[in-house]
Amino acid sequence: VQLQASGGGLVQAGDSLRLSCAASGLAARSFYMGWFRQTPGKEREFVAAISTSSLRIAYGDSVKGRFTISRDNSESAAYLQMNRLKPDDTAVYYCAADRPSGAELSLAASDYEYWGRGTLVTVSS
């Protein structure tokens, strides 16, 4: 599975952005998909994850109510709709894929097997 995140950019606080993650590989639809973000000097932070059927979704506390994760298995893609952006959301955002090993979504970056190159989101105040 190869992943490519896109859609980042420079926006003002309160604006919205939609990130996309294109997944290639025949097994892409069989993976849980996650979004993480990272700023310099900090560990990668869990943002959101979605199961293969989209029935299970999880969000990090800092983005609940503002961000929405979705996927389109027919397009082998995952998305992160980010609304009411804050300067604290500034980070490099990564999409990742986790081969399911159980019913629960993983919030740990170490559980995700495949990572794409990140896309930078900058939110100005």
Side-chain angles (χ1 to χ4, degrees), residues 20-60:
S20 299
C21 177
S24 62
L26 294 177
R29 65 185 62 195
S30 300
F31 286 75
Y32 291 168
M33 299 298 294
W35 287 95
F36 292 78
R37 66 188 184 185
Q38 191 169 25
T39 55
K42 293 188 177 181
E43 293 188 356
R44 207 159 282 191
E45 176 190 7
F46 172 75
V47 175
I50 187 168
S51 64
T52 54
S53 61
S54 302
L55 292 179
R56 291 188 297 280
I57 288 175
Y59 294 100

Side-chain angles (χ1 to χ4, degrees), residues 61 76 80:
D61 288 341
S76 293
L80 186 69

